[in-house]
């Protein structure tokens, strides 16, 4: 009888434990709730930033489609990059604006998984597109006589399509793997969106394999493309330095500088965040870094490509008067 009671108690405890492991049906995004008196100011700032991102990247997409002199491989990639930035920032920023407006930070389990999945996919697409753009500059400067032959329309479409499609299975698979983990205890995510490090901290049991997968994919998707970009630019810089005239060197450097600045901004903050935040004790620093590459970089991209590019400035001067006349 005593043995039977003991077995019943064990079964009861097991059921309770299983119930606790499956009770997490939603999460709470802390966001910037540590500054409650500033939430209206933050809402206004982030709303203006979002509108600037929509306007800036939208204009880049329009002028590269409507202006014939921008119908080149370089601007084809720039317009796709601007479209990506619109999607990328729309995964996190509208949700953050709603949370600041309503002060209700709850997010369902499914919505959190969906946000993380699309955020990871679009982040990977950005890494791949930056590599494609670096390759385009490499061919243009290191092999200019064959540029139009190599970078034909078919290859450009294939490179962009491959960048978008190849990211889905890997990153969605990683998202599914993370959200099939048992979650128990706290459901508070100390972040402004569902990112991998803060979500993994809430998982129960041994997550060593999951963390290993995060580092492995970060290496493949962030570090390997970055190394390819460095290899491209080492060849580009070597070729530029061998050009006979200062004018030629200046023009070559100017065509690469915009892309190089974007690469430094994105990869710098993203690499630090994903490779060090898993063990970081400074979560506020992680949030600031994430804020930089998820919101501020997409805002700066149109400015970088337009203000440092004479072709884009010329196209804007033609396009903007027509827009306002309409």
């Amino acid at each position: 009888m005593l043995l039977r009671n003991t077995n019943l108690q064990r079964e009861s405890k097991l059921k309770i434990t299983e119930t606790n492991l499956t009770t997490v049906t939603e999460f709470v995004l802390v966001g910037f709730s540590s500054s409650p008196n500033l939430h209206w100011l933050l809402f206004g700032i982030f709303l203006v930033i979002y509108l600037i991102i929509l306007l800036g990247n939208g204009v880049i997409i329009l002028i590269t489609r409507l202006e014939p002199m921008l119908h080149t491989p370089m601007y084809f990639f720039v317009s796709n990059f601007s479209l990506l930035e619109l999607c990328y920032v729309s995964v996190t920023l509208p949700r953050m604006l709603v949370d600041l407006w309503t002060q209700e930070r709850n997010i369902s389990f499914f919505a959190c998984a969906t946000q993380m999945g699309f955020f990871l996919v679009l982040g990977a697409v950005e890494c791949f597109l930056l590599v494609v753009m670096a390759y385009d500059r490499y061919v243009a400067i290191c092999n200019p006589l064959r540029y139009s032959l190599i970078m034909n329309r078919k290859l450009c479409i294939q490179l962009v399509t491959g960048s978008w499609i190849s990211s889905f299975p890997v990153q969605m698979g990683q998202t599914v793997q993370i959200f099939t983990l048992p979650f128990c205890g706290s459901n508070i995510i100390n972040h402004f969106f569902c990112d991998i490090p803060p979500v993994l901290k809430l998982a129960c049991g041994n997550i060593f394999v999951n963390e290993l997968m995060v580092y492995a994919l970060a290496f493949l998707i962030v570090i390997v493309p970055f190394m390819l970009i460095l290899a491209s630019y080492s060849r580009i810089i070597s070729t530029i330095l061998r050009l006979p005239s200062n004018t030629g060197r200046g023009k070559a450097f100017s065509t690469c500088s915009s892309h190089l600045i974007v690469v430094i901004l994105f990869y710098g903050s993203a690499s630090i965040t994903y490779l060090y935040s898993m063990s970081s004790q400074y979560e506020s620093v992680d949030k600031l870094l994430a804020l930089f590459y998820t919101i501020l970089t997409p805002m700066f991209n149109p400015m970088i490509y337009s203000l440092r590019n004479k072709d884009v400035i010329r196209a804007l001067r033609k396009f903007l008067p027509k827009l306002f006349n309409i």
Side-chain angles (χ1 to χ4, degrees):
M1 188 69 176
L2 180 61
L3 180 61
R4 184 181 177 185
N5 290 337
T6 304
N7 290 335
L8 287 172
Q9 287 176 359
R10 286 178 181 173
E11 289 177 5
S12 177
K13 287 180 180 179
L14 181 60
K15 289 178 181 178
I16 291 170
T17 304
E18 289 175 352
T19 302
N20 288 338
L21 291 177
T22 57
T23 50
V24 177
T25 58
E26 64 177 20
F27 296 100
V28 178
L29 293 169
V30 172
F32 300 97
S33 59
S34 57
S35 307
N37 296 329
L38 299 176
H39 76 274
W40 286 116
L41 176 62
L42 292 173
F43 176 83
I45 292 172
F46 290 133
L47 178 61
V48 170
I49 289 174
Y50 189 45
L51 293 175
I52 290 172
I53 292 170
L54 294 179
L55 179 62
N57 286 285
V59 168
I60 292 291
I61 294 169
L62 277 176
I63 62 172
T64 53
R65 291 287 188 272
L66 299 177
E67 182 54 50
M69 73 175 182
L70 298 182
H71 291 174
T72 63
M74 175 182 172
Y75 295 109
F76 174 73
F77 296 134
V78 168
S79 66
N80 275 276
F81 193 75
S82 293
L83 175 62
L84 169 68
E85 295 291 53
L86 290 178
C87 299
Y88 187 61
V89 77
S90 296
V91 172
T92 57
L93 194 47
R95 173 79 203 195
M96 186 168 63
L97 289 172
V98 171
D99 289 344
L100 287 169
W101 177 270
T102 63
Q103 290 297 292
E104 295 178 2
R105 299 180 176 85
N106 293 358
I107 182 170
S108 69
F109 193 88
F110 178 76
C112 188
T114 302
Q115 186 185 54
M116 179 186 288
F118 279 104
F119 178 79
L120 293 177
V121 167
L122 294 171
V125 175
E126 182 154 356
C127 293
F128 297 152
L129 272 182
L130 287 172
V131 175
V132 169
M133 294 167 78
Y135 176 70
D136 173 68
R137 292 299 84 207
Y138 163 76
V139 176
I141 292 172
C142 299
N143 204 349
L145 297 179
R146 300 187 61 209
Y147 177 71
S148 57
L149 181 64
I150 296 173
M151 300 303 296
N152 56 70
R153 181 168 180 78
K154 181 180 178 181
L155 178 63
C156 292
I157 293 173
Q158 287 175 341
L159 289 171
V160 169
T161 305
S163 298
W164 282 87
I165 293 176
S166 61
S167 307
F168 272 87
V170 176
Q171 296 293 32
M172 285 300 182
Q174 180 173 229
T175 303
V176 170
Q177 184 187 40
I178 289 172
F179 280 88
T180 51
L181 290 170
F183 290 91
C184 56
S186 175
N187 66 337
I188 297 175
I189 299 175
N190 191 9
H191 215 303
F192 59 88
F193 70 100
C194 293
D195 202 4
I196 292 178
V199 171
L200 269 183
K201 288 177 182 177
L202 304 181
C204 300
N206 188 358
I207 59 170
F208 174 75
V209 175
N210 299 89
E211 290 180 337
L212 197 61
M213 286 296 295
V214 170
Y215 284 115
L217 287 176
F219 179 80
L220 290 173
I221 292 173
V222 179
I223 302 302
V224 171
F226 184 62
M227 297 302 291
L228 291 173
I229 291 171
L230 287 182
S232 297
Y233 273 101
S234 66
R235 294 291 301 276
I236 289 170
I237 292 170
S238 175
T239 302
I240 290 173
L241 293 176
R242 291 200 301 267
L243 293 176
S245 68
N246 291 332
T247 305
R249 285 195 293 269
K251 185 177 180 181
F253 270 121
S254 95
T255 61
C256 299
S257 59
S258 300
H259 178 253
L260 199 54
I261 292 170
V262 172
V263 168
I264 293 170
L265 288 175
F266 176 75
Y267 275 102
S269 54
S271 298
I272 293 171
T273 301
Y274 276 90
L275 296 179
Y276 294 102
S277 64
M278 296 295 292
S279 58
S280 175
Q281 301 300 316
Y282 303 100
E283 293 176 329
S284 58
V285 176
D286 296 339
K287 277 194 273 190
L288 288 175
L289 283 170
L291 194 67
F292 191 86
Y293 75 84
T294 56
I295 296 175
L296 296 183
T297 302
M299 182 181 72
F300 291 142
N301 285 346
M303 302 176 192
I304 293 168
Y305 281 114
S306 60
L307 296 178
R308 299 185 60 85
N309 193 300
K310 293 179 181 179
D311 292 336
V312 175
I313 292 174
R314 216 174 295 129
L316 282 172
R317 286 174 179 168
K318 289 174 61 179
F319 173 75
L320 291 178
K322 294 178 183 177
L323 181 66
F324 287 120
N325 286 337
I326 292 174

